[in-house]
Amino acid sequence: MRFVIQILLWLVIIFLAYLTFNAVYEPLQFNKIKEKRYTKVIKNLKDIRAAELAHQEVTGKFQGDWDSLVKFLDTAEFAITQRRDTTFLDEEYKKTYGVDQYIESVVVDTLGFVPVRDSLFKGNQERYRTMMNVPVEGVDAKFELRAGTIKKGDSDIPVFEARIPKAVVLSDQDRTLVLQENEVQSVDDVNGRYISVGSMTEVSTSGNGFDRYGGDKDNE
C-alpha cells in the first residue's frame, strides 16, 4: 500500500513539475517565435513605407491598391535636382526709386532622372513585387493597405496605413498567448491587435514596434 502511495506521489510531483516547466517554457518559445516573425514583418512594412513615400513625392498622394503601387514602382522616376542660390535685379524697385536692389532667390535645376525601383530597391523587382505578402512560412495572407486624406484645418492631408493582425502572424501559436499579445501596451513593443505602419486617423508614417523589431531606418 505504501509503495502505491509513493508511486502516486511521484506521479503527482512529475505532473506538477511538467506544468511548471510548460508555464515557463511555452512563453519563452512564444516570444522567440514572435520576435523572429515580427522582425520579418516589419522589414516588409518598411519597404511598403518607402514605396508609399516615393509615390507621394512623385504624385502628391498615397496609394491604397497593391497592383497600382507595384505598377508605379515599375515605371516611375525620381527627378535629380540641384539647388543653387542666385540674385537678380528688382526692375520695378529701380524704376520706382532709381536705385539698384537685388533679390535673393533659389533656382532648382533638373539634372536627370533615376527609376524609383533602382533608388529604393536597387532594381530588385522580386522584393517590391512581394512586399505585400506576409513573410511567415505557412501564412497565406497580404497586408491590408488603405490610403486617403484627413482634414487638418482647411487642408486635406494624404495618409496611408498598411497593417496585419498579430493573430494572422501568430496563427499557429497558443491561442491564450496570442490573446495576451493582443493586449500588450508598452513604449517599445507592438501595441494592440495589429503590426502596422502609417495611420488613417493621424498624419504619421511611423511604424508600430519598429524601434524594437528592426529599427526605424530604411532597409538596406
Side-chain angles (χ1 to χ4, degrees):
M1 185 65 179
R2 180 182 295 178
F3 178 74
V4 173
I5 293 174
Q6 287 178 336
I7 293 296
L8 290 174
L9 286 175
W10 274 110
L11 289 175
V12 170
I13 292 171
I14 292 171
F15 178 69
L16 292 175
Y18 172 78
L19 292 179
T20 303
F21 173 79
N22 268 2
V24 176
Y25 179 77
E26 286 188 3
L28 286 175
Q29 289 301 107
F30 176 84
N31 286 331
K32 287 180 180 179
I33 291 170
K34 180 189 81 170
E35 183 169 349
K36 289 180 180 178
R37 294 184 183 180
Y38 281 15
T39 299
K40 291 179 179 180
V41 165
I42 286 174
K43 184 175 181 180
N44 276 38
L45 286 175
K46 289 193 290 184
D47 278 347
I48 293 166
R49 177 175 63 182
E52 287 285 3
L53 290 174
H55 192 279
Q56 184 197 31
E57 181 177 338
V58 174
T59 70
K61 60 183 180 179
F62 293 117
Q63 178 56 253
D65 177 74
W66 287 122
D67 291 339
S68 298
L69 186 59
V70 169
K71 184 177 180 180
F72 164 80
L73 294 171
D74 280 333
T75 59
E77 294 180 321
F78 283 133
I80 303 173
T81 60
Q82 175 181 278
R83 296 168 60 90
R84 55 187 175 85
D85 296 329
T86 186
T87 59
F88 62 90
L89 181 64
D90 187 340
E91 298 286 355
E92 190 65 28
Y93 188 90
K94 182 177 181 180
K95 182 178 178 180
T96 303
Y97 299 103
V99 178
D100 289 351
Q101 176 170 284
Y102 291 88
I103 299 174
E104 294 184 355
S105 181
V106 175
V107 176
V108 179
D109 298 318
T110 299
L111 305 179
F113 297 88
V114 60
V116 171
R117 64 173 180 266
D118 292 343
S119 179
L120 298 183
F121 303 105
K122 299 180 174 63
N124 186 342
Q125 296 182 1
E126 181 69 16
R127 179 173 156 191
Y128 67 78
R129 288 179 177 176
T130 60
M131 65 185 178
M132 70 288 297
N133 299 325
V134 178
V136 175
E137 186 176 353
V139 175
D140 183 17
K142 292 184 178 181
F143 293 97
E144 301 171 23
L145 182 66
R146 296 182 293 167
T149 60
I150 59 175
K151 202 77 173 177
K152 288 293 182 181
D154 295 329
S155 301
D156 291 323
I157 308 299
V159 292
F160 84 97
E161 183 178 36
R163 68 182 190 177
I164 191 71
K166 293 177 179 177
V168 173
V169 176
L170 301 168
S171 58
D172 59 345
Q173 297 301 299
D174 181 84
R175 179 173 174 77
T176 300
L177 294 176
V178 173
L179 290 175
Q180 291 175 2
E181 177 64 20
N182 284 339
E183 300 301 319
V184 165
Q185 293 295 325
S186 173
V187 294
D188 66 344
D189 212 325
V190 179
N191 295 331
R193 296 171 51 228
Y194 294 92
I195 312 172
S196 63
V197 64
S199 172
M200 292 301 294
T201 59
E202 301 177 1
V203 181
S204 172
T205 59
S206 296
N208 191 3
F210 277 29
D211 287 340
R212 178 169 180 175
Y213 299 99
D216 200 18
K217 300 179 180 178
D218 292 337
N219 289 334
E220 295 294 333

